[in-house]
Amino acid sequence: PLDTIIVDFDSQFGDVGSVLNINPTHTLEDAFTEDGVHSSLIVKGLLNSFQDNLLVLAGSESPAALEKITSSQESQLLKQLSAEYTYVVVDTGSGLTDETLAALEIATDVLFVTTMDISAGKALRRAIDLLDRIALLPRNRHLVVNMVEAGTGLEVEDISRAMRMPVDAAVPRSVEIA
């Protein structure tokens, strides 16, 4: 409890706060100064609590809010949080944004999430290949296939082969989950 923090680094559509039903009073953009990152004590004051055991640094409401933040500041924040908490989970947007690259630079594990769509699988495979070429992926890689539905043409094993890694979890399509 309170040793895990989720940082919403999806600058375009950050939704960790809304998914967890948190109405944050402070967001990611508040963690930064004009030329750096606030001290650990100030950043701790910006965190939101979820069910009294998980801490959340929610994404900003404005997609433009992080435009003035540099990758080096983002990396600095993640390093600072990593020194304070056992687990720092970073939720990034799809694609290879500056925030995603900053998170990957210091990541120990990466969790890829894809769906059963051929286009989603192709895009993820291309991203993995690129990140491997520039040596930006950690050794610990995990794959989750979301919205799995039998009879759609692709099977989980097809996704595993295409990604060249085992599928660690398959989440079935479900009205309850949605």
Side-chain angles (χ1 to χ4, degrees), residues 7 17 31 46 52 81 89 96-97 110 113 115 119 124 139 159:
V7 180
L46 302 174
D52 297 327
L81 292 171
V89 178
L96 299 177
T97 64
V110 65
V113 180
T115 61
S119 59
L124 179 57
R139 287 181 186 239
I159 301 295

Side-chain angles (χ1 to χ4, degrees), residues 43-74:
V43 172
K44 280 184 181 185
L46 302 174
L47 303 178
N48 301 277
S49 180
F50 174 72
Q51 295 184 353
D52 297 327
N53 61 4
L54 179 66
L55 297 169
V56 178
L57 186 51
S60 175
E61 293 294 316
S62 167
L66 292 181
E67 286 182 4
K68 60 185 181 234
I69 308 303
T70 67
S71 294
S72 119
Q73 288 172 295
E74 292 164 344

